[in-house]
Amino acid sequence: MYFYILFILLIVLFMGNYTFNGQPKAQYLTNIGLGIIILVSILRFDVGWDYPSYYLDIYPVLDPISIAKYEPLNRVIYHITDYFRWPPLLFIIYGLLTYGLVFSTLKKYTPNLFLATLTYLAFFYNTSLGPIRQGLALGIVLYAYRYLITRAYLKYFIAIVIAGMFHLTAFTGLLIPFLFYLMTPVRMIILLIVTILGYKYALTIISEYMGYATYLANVDEYSGGTLISLAYPIVIFSLCILTWKNKDLIAQRLTYVTIFGALCPFLLGGHIGGRIGWYFLIYLCILVPRALKHQKASTRTTYAGLFVGYFLLYVFITTLNPVKQPLTPYQSILTTNIDPPIFK
């Protein structure tokens, strides 16, 4: 736990919005903060719930039967890793792709990289450490924002197809342009009502055709994620007030997308619903700094503090898991014997 306290404090120190003697801090400090996040992530060992299963897919030798169940582009990464005969390379490749897509997008399309990064760390960072296939798919969907706002629909479609080749659930991202451009407050209310009434049919389709058939009959058993499921609506509701007050059309459209994502866990259960909802909620990383752009510095500081607190609370809650502590203690491939690997 102490490691993550130090980790988030370093991110605040290097990336926070403050000045030295009235001058903005040097840009290279922000880049150092991003570098810390990337290095901590790609050099980890047995950090993340799914880490052992991915590792054993390729250790001591590649398991073709195991990786056959993965989407095509995942198998490409596995074969590259197998060529070099070094299992940690798998997580380095996924990490570099994921964080490269995420942070390049946040740097270009958000007015406050610090708030955008804290939003990602609070709500989505754990996904990039655990189900790394979906973490990369989320990064691609976020990257596709550039095509969404420029109405480059063919490029957006191609991006979603590529994301789907890493995790089938990413194809739900095809709904985002409709939510972004066609929604109005009245239409959003109607859509929510229709969704609530027809969610069982949607659950059947998602479960049978997107890899969640085993959850279909046991949705209640996979209803974890209560903390996150409750946090999203609270954050989005507060942002709705700010975006409508500022009359920011892009931010208003992003609220439609994220509201739909926040609804998913309540309809489909915290597990499957949370995973589907991530593709809509990932745009919180752009919405939060945009909605807070014209707010007082004290308001932005409050949100930053809440996200830091949420990040640490999430890590703390994982330490209470009786089966496995997925994030703690932090271990690195630089300091741990990885051959043979000894998992927690």
Side-chain angles (χ1 to χ4, degrees), residues 97-332:
L97 290 174
T98 300
Y99 304 121
L101 292 168
V102 168
F103 293 127
S104 65
T105 301
L106 298 184
K107 289 181 73 172
K108 186 174 183 178
Y109 292 99
T110 62
N112 191 319
L113 180 58
F114 176 55
L115 277 175
T117 300
L118 288 184
T119 304
Y120 181 78
L121 291 177
F123 298 116
F124 307 103
Y125 180 58
N126 185 56
T127 305
S128 70
L129 300 179
I132 55 177
R133 292 159 42 234
Q134 190 161 18
L136 178 51
L138 281 172
I140 297 171
V141 172
L142 181 63
Y143 185 86
Y145 174 77
R146 65 196 64 210
Y147 306 130
L148 179 67
I149 60 173
T150 57
R151 298 177 186 266
Y153 297 124
L154 178 59
K155 291 182 178 180
Y156 181 86
F157 174 78
I158 293 173
I160 297 301
V161 170
I162 293 174
M165 292 298 98
F166 283 105
H167 206 281
L168 285 176
T169 54
F171 282 110
T172 57
L174 293 174
L175 296 175
I176 292 176
F178 298 97
L179 295 170
F180 189 80
Y181 283 111
L182 300 181
M183 284 299 102
T184 63
V186 173
R187 290 174 181 174
M188 193 70 208
I189 293 173
I190 294 174
L191 176 63
L192 292 178
I193 294 174
V194 171
T195 301
I196 292 172
L197 295 178
Y199 80 94
K200 288 188 177 180
Y201 298 102
L203 178 61
T204 300
I205 294 173
I206 292 170
S207 298
E208 292 184 358
Y209 297 104
M210 293 188 176
Y212 288 102
T214 56
Y215 303 128
L216 180 59
N218 303 287
V219 172
D220 292 335
E221 295 181 16
Y222 296 94
S223 58
T226 303
L227 174 65
I228 296 180
S229 298
L230 295 176
Y232 285 134
I234 295 173
V235 172
I236 295 171
F237 178 75
S238 67
L239 295 176
C240 283
I241 297 175
L242 297 177
T243 54
W244 286 98
K245 182 179 179 180
N246 295 333
K247 300 185 183 303
D248 184 332
L249 181 59
I250 297 295
Q252 290 172 12
R253 288 173 172 174
L254 287 173
T255 59
Y256 296 137
V257 176
T258 56
I259 286 173
F260 186 83
L263 184 65
C264 290
F266 297 98
L267 298 180
L268 308 178
H271 186 89
I272 182 175
R275 290 198 167 206
I276 296 298
W278 284 338
Y279 296 105
F280 306 92
L281 291 164
I282 190 66
Y283 286 119
L284 276 174
C285 297
I286 296 175
L287 173 58
V288 168
R290 190 173 185 111
L292 297 177
K293 179 179 179 180
H294 300 294
Q295 300 303 311
K296 296 179 181 179
S298 59
T299 302
R300 293 192 294 272
T301 301
T302 298
Y303 273 85
L306 290 173
F307 291 155
V308 168
Y310 182 88
F311 172 82
L312 293 176
L313 177 61
Y314 185 94
V315 174
F316 174 74
I317 289 177
T318 65
T319 66
L320 305 179
N321 192 307
V323 178
K324 176 184 177 181
Q325 298 181 10
L327 302 179
T328 54
Y330 177 83
Q331 301 176 94
S332 170

